[in-house]
Amino acid sequence: MENDMRGQVQTGQMRRRKPPYRVVRKDDPAALLNERERQILRLVVESFIDTAGPVGSHFLARRYPIGLSPASIRNTMSDLEEMGYLDHPYTSAGRVPTDLGYRTFVDALMDVPELAPDERRLLQQKVREIGNDPEELWRESTRLLGQLSRLLGVVLTPRLSTGVLERLEVVPLSSTRAMFVLSVRGGLVRTILVELTSELSRRDLELVVALLNERLAGLTLAAIRQSCHQRLRDLEDRTGLVQLVMTEAPVLFSEPSEGRVRFGGTQYIMGQPEFQQPEELRNLFLLLEDEEELVRLLEGTDTSDDVEVGRAQVSIGRENQDEKVERFSIVTARYRLGDAVGTIGVIGPTRMDYRRVLALVQEMARLLSRPIDETVN
């Protein structure tokens, strides 16, 4: 894959276009650079992504027909280092990008390629074969993202509070226990076990559940949680089930605190040079074990359902504001299942192929998204 990407750069087959992703920084770190500095920074970043080794001036002069001598390139690289875009590791003559260098590359310098037709067809075929089974879609999408990016593919299942209740079912398990089944538009299901105060006859149960659906179906879980008491308090109920729903609404219609993360591709990301270092590998596994923090990093601070679906966001290095992942980059995009919004993305080292990862994440977000009751064509 990397060789194919390098061939595209050299032969000029990529088209420069307005980046189809949301920039995290509000300022423009490329505005201070002249054209030569932009060109050299772009080539250093692309070369470092490709080789994983410090990039020297002689290497750039040999590899790219840019009409500059090694001395001129070296002087420009020194200027970029002084401005914070490049770093000078160890005693090597080469440079590597800093977080600012990567950010400038992503925001202003890189070309965003389309996926190769065969890869797009592969993704479309896999999603089409799965159909509308959300769990299988999530599992396969993380596997594909991990396989094609050689990094870690991740999915956050949609926030149920943004989903619309399609129907509520109550399944008796014993004389004192029952399972509430919440079916949310888009194929999402949540089950909750509850304790009953008295045994219910099948007829009474069916009547009460019908009334509950009449009052609550068609509302978001967040709206039900906030207004459940007002909507149900006038119902006659000799079973105690309506009272149970009103009392337990904060739990029954709440956002699950865990179980939203799916990921795939650990075998690929562990093969990256950065994760041959025990400390970085340890940080990766600490992150995967901390679901709350992982959700925060992937979802950001905007948890509303009024989001732009399919437009990637890139968070680089220390922008993640967690020391465990200050050497990682995270590329995410929102997808929509029915009324509910989830997040899909890729986690990898800051030395990731941003162009390719962006294209993969955005295409997968597009394929996962579908309106209510729509099947995969």
Side-chain angles (χ1 to χ4, degrees):
M1 293 293 182
E2 290 179 346
N3 289 336
D4 292 343
M5 290 296 294
R6 183 168 64 250
Q8 287 181 317
V9 172
Q10 291 174 328
T11 57
Q13 293 174 7
M14 289 188 180
R15 294 178 290 113
R16 190 177 297 277
R17 54 162 53 174
K18 182 180 179 181
Y21 50 84
R22 184 159 66 89
V23 175
V24 175
R25 292 169 60 99
K26 295 181 180 180
D27 56 332
D28 180 6
L32 301 177
L33 303 181
N34 61 38
E35 189 57 36
R36 176 182 292 188
E37 290 165 342
R38 286 169 174 251
Q39 181 185 38
I40 296 302
L41 177 58
R42 179 173 63 84
L43 294 179
V44 170
V45 174
E46 290 175 343
S47 298
F48 184 65
I49 289 172
D50 193 18
T51 66
V55 180
S57 57
H58 285 278
F59 175 85
L60 293 183
R62 289 195 306 268
R63 186 175 191 180
Y64 300 105
I66 55 179
L68 295 174
S69 68
S72 296
I73 295 173
R74 185 163 52 252
N75 289 336
T76 302
M77 292 169 72
S78 295
D79 292 339
L80 289 168
E81 183 178 356
E82 288 182 6
M83 290 186 285
Y85 296 87
L86 298 179
D87 196 8
H88 198 164
Y90 318 118
T91 57
S92 168
R95 266 77 168 183
V96 299
T98 62
D99 288 354
L100 177 61
Y102 283 122
R103 170 54 62 195
T104 306
F105 175 76
V106 169
D107 290 354
L109 304 180
M110 78 174 185
D111 298 312
V112 181
E114 301 289 345
L115 286 179
D118 59 334
E119 289 184 327
R120 179 173 287 105
R121 285 194 295 269
L122 171 65
L123 295 180
Q124 292 172 344
Q125 177 186 346
K126 292 295 185 181
V127 171
R128 187 180 299 114
E129 289 173 353
I130 294 169
N132 284 335
D133 181 345
E135 193 62 47
E136 185 61 25
L137 280 171
W138 298 324
R139 183 164 47 247
E140 183 65 7
S141 63
T142 60
R143 187 190 71 80
L144 287 169
L145 282 179
Q147 176 185 337
L148 294 175
S149 70
R150 315 307 289 182
L151 300 172
L152 187 73
V154 289
V155 166
L156 290 184
T157 62
R159 295 183 67 87
L160 283 181
S161 59
T162 65
V164 172
L165 181 67
E166 199 166 60
R167 66 182 181 280
L168 166 68
E169 298 174 83
V170 181
V171 181
L173 300 178
S174 70
S175 60
T176 58
R177 300 186 74 201
M179 180 170 64
F180 276 62
V181 182
L182 309 181
S183 296
V184 177
R185 287 179 186 171
L188 306 175
V189 176
R190 187 186 182 198
T191 60
I192 308 100
L193 295 178
V194 297
E195 298 291 331
L196 302 175
T197 56
S198 61
E199 188 172 355
L200 302 177
S201 70
R202 179 173 296 275
R203 176 173 174 76
D204 287 342
L205 180 62
E206 290 175 350
L207 288 173
V208 172
V209 169
L211 289 173
L212 290 173
N213 278 300
E214 182 179 300
R215 296 291 179 93
L216 303 179
L219 302 171
T220 67
L221 299 195
I224 295 173
R225 190 168 61 246
Q226 295 166 4
S227 63
C228 184
H229 188 270
Q230 289 81 359
R231 294 178 184 278
L232 302 181
R233 63 186 177 184
D234 64 325
L235 289 179
E236 294 185 8
D237 174 34
R238 60 184 181 183
T239 66
L241 190 59
V242 172
Q243 183 61 47
L244 174 65
V245 171
M246 289 191 294
T247 303
E248 298 298 328
V251 175
L252 292 175
F253 305 104
S254 66
E255 192 72 54
S257 59
E258 57 185 23
R260 293 184 60 205
V261 178
R262 312 286 188 275
F263 58 85
T266 51
Q267 70 272 36
Y268 302 116
I269 195 171
M270 289 172 62
Q272 295 294 330
E274 290 82 354
F275 295 100
Q276 304 307 305
Q277 303 175 26
E279 183 63 22
E280 295 305 325
L281 193 58
R282 176 177 176 274
N283 286 338
L284 175 64
F285 283 107
L286 285 175
L287 175 63
L288 297 181
E289 290 176 354
D290 188 348
E291 180 170 327
E292 182 178 350
E293 177 63 8
L294 188 54
V295 169
R296 186 189 69 79
L297 288 169
L298 294 170
E299 203 166 53
T301 57
D302 183 3
T303 59
S304 68
D305 60 344
D306 184 21
V307 297
E308 186 172 1
V309 171
R311 189 174 178 87
Q313 176 174 322
V314 186
S315 184
I316 298 171
R318 290 182 175 86
E319 294 172 358
N320 293 304
Q321 298 181 343
D322 184 323
E323 62 180 13
K324 292 194 299 294
V325 290
E326 64 181 14
R327 294 171 66 86
F328 298 0
S329 284
I330 302 174
V331 179
T332 59
R334 299 295 177 88
Y335 67 93
R336 187 182 296 275
L337 278 181
D339 302 281
V341 175
T343 303
I344 188 166
V346 164
I347 297 175
T350 53
R351 186 197 59 83
M352 71 162 60
D353 189 341
Y354 292 95
R355 293 169 299 190
R356 177 167 176 73
V357 172
L358 277 162
L360 285 168
V361 169
Q362 291 180 151
E363 179 67 12
M364 187 57 73
R366 186 186 70 81
L367 291 173
L368 284 181
S369 299
R370 68 283 310 277
I372 302 166
D373 298 329
E374 180 182 283
T375 58
V376 179
N377 294 321

